[in-house]
Amino acid sequence: KAQLEQEIEQATERRKAAMKSMNEAHALRVKEAESYDKESTELKVNIKSISKALKALSAGTEAGRSFFLQSAEGARLGLLVKRADLSESDREVVSSFLSGEDSASETAAPSTAEIFGILRQMKETAEEDLAEMTKDEKEAVASYDKLWAAKEAEINSLMHASETKQVRLGEVSTNLVTMVEDLEDTKKGFGKNTAFLADLDKNCATKKGEWEVRSKTRSDELLALAQTIKILNDDD
């Protein structure tokens, strides 16, 4: 019984540990998912802004470029360029384009092809980052799902083992109660048997005494009878 109780307690502790692990994994997955959503959304918006800038450049019209520069995507691209991983010369070229300074002096202005090349490289880098981030997120989700399934299986197994042992513990407890009752009955029976034997010994001792008395009386009677016969014979 003690061993079963210990095994049930151990299974309970292991189940609690598995549930704690699942809760921690879930909390981490939520944080990772939120981080991915935030960063991937930002990358997608950046890619959209760069794509619109490339489209405006490809159109080759001043009106198209002006419309883009005055749009929200143009403003966003300006912020992106400031923190992008670019050389200082490339950053100045794109910043010049976004500020409209290149139209003031055609001799000092960077070529459209140069700006186009820098923006296209920025777009490709952002797309690669997004693809890598998405790949990592899918792997994280797959790892989380695998861990969750394993922990669920472990918990179910431990619960089944605990339930089986609980049933067995109940049977053992019932058997122990029955055995204790049988022992008490045996003790009572033994007490009765002991008393019976004591009474039997006492009765036997009494019967033996009575028999001895009767035997002695009978012997005395036979002796007296023999003496009487002898006296009678002597008188003749």
Side-chain angles (χ1 to χ4, degrees), residues 25-35 144:
H26 178 69
L28 178 60
R29 178 84 285 276
V30 169
K31 288 181 64 177
E32 290 176 342
E34 290 176 348
S35 177
Y144 168 77

Side-chain angles (χ1 to χ4, degrees), residues 38-54 68 71-88 90-95 97-98 118-127 129:
K38 180 180 179 181
E39 294 179 17
S40 63
T41 299
E42 184 176 357
L43 279 173
K44 290 174 183 177
V45 172
N46 291 342
I47 292 169
K48 182 180 178 182
S49 296
I50 298 173
S51 297
K52 288 193 173 183
L54 291 172
F68 170 75
S71 67
E73 284 80 6
R76 182 174 185 81
L77 184 56
L79 295 174
L80 175 60
V81 169
K82 290 180 180 179
R83 62 174 186 268
D85 185 17
L86 295 172
S87 66
E88 284 304 315
D90 286 348
R91 196 186 314 279
E92 288 177 3
V93 167
V94 180
S95 296
F97 159 71
L98 292 173
I118 296 171
L119 291 177
R120 184 171 59 186
Q121 183 59 50
M122 289 176 61
K123 180 173 180 288
E124 289 176 356
T125 300
E127 289 173 338
D129 290 345

Side-chain angles (χ1 to χ4, degrees), residues 100-112:
E101 294 176 358
D102 60 317
S103 60
S105 174
E106 293 184 0
T107 56
S111 67
T112 300

Side-chain angles (χ1 to χ4, degrees), residues 5-236:
E5 290 175 338
Q6 183 179 9
E7 290 176 354
I8 291 171
E9 183 178 356
Q10 290 174 346
T12 300
E13 291 302 318
R14 289 177 59 191
R15 188 169 70 250
K16 288 180 179 178
M19 293 177 68
K20 180 181 178 183
S21 178
M22 289 177 72
N23 290 334
E24 290 174 349
H26 178 69
L28 178 60
R29 178 84 285 276
V30 169
K31 288 181 64 177
E32 290 176 342
E34 290 176 348
S35 177
Y36 167 75
D37 288 342
K38 180 180 179 181
E39 294 179 17
S40 63
T41 299
E42 184 176 357
L43 279 173
K44 290 174 183 177
V45 172
N46 291 342
I47 292 169
K48 182 180 178 182
S49 296
I50 298 173
S51 297
K52 288 193 173 183
L54 291 172
K55 184 177 180 181
L57 281 172
S58 298
T61 63
E62 184 63 28
R65 191 183 75 159
S66 297
F67 178 79
F68 170 75
L69 293 177
Q70 294 173 14
S71 67
E73 284 80 6
R76 182 174 185 81
L77 184 56
L79 295 174
L80 175 60
V81 169
K82 290 180 180 179
R83 62 174 186 268
D85 185 17
L86 295 172
S87 66
E88 284 304 315
S89 60
D90 286 348
R91 196 186 314 279
E92 288 177 3
V93 167
V94 180
S95 296
S96 177
F97 159 71
L98 292 173
S99 65
E101 294 176 358
D102 60 317
S103 60
S105 174
E106 293 184 0
T107 56
S111 67
T112 300
E114 185 179 2
I115 298 172
F116 194 91
I118 296 171
L119 291 177
R120 184 171 59 186
Q121 183 59 50
M122 289 176 61
K123 180 173 180 288
E124 289 176 356
T125 300
E127 289 173 338
E128 290 171 0
D129 290 345
L130 178 60
E132 184 67 22
M133 187 183 297
T134 301
K135 175 176 171 291
D136 291 343
E137 172 66 7
K138 288 181 179 179
E139 290 176 353
V141 170
S143 178
Y144 168 77
D145 289 342
K146 184 177 180 181
L147 172 65
W148 191 270
K151 290 300 179 181
E152 274 191 332
E154 180 183 0
I155 289 173
N156 289 335
S157 176
L158 289 169
M159 288 182 64
H160 177 71
S162 293
E163 290 170 357
T164 301
K165 287 181 172 63
Q166 286 284 5
V167 172
R168 178 58 182 155
L169 180 61
E171 294 173 348
V172 170
S173 298
T174 300
N175 290 338
L176 284 174
V177 171
T178 302
M179 290 173 66
V180 169
E181 291 175 349
D182 290 344
L183 179 60
E184 291 299 322
D185 291 342
T186 301
K187 286 181 179 179
K188 291 178 181 178
F190 180 74
K192 291 179 180 179
N193 291 337
T194 301
F196 173 77
L197 288 174
D199 290 341
L200 184 61
D201 288 340
K202 181 179 179 181
N203 291 334
C204 285
T206 302
K207 295 296 183 182
K208 182 179 180 181
E210 292 175 352
W211 171 253
E212 289 176 351
V213 171
R214 285 200 302 270
S215 295
K216 185 176 183 305
T217 301
R218 182 61 177 163
S219 296
D220 291 344
E221 290 175 351
L222 289 174
L223 179 60
L225 182 60
Q227 290 176 348
T228 301
I229 293 173
K230 181 176 182 301
I231 292 172
L232 291 174
N233 286 334
D234 290 340
D235 290 343
D236 292 341

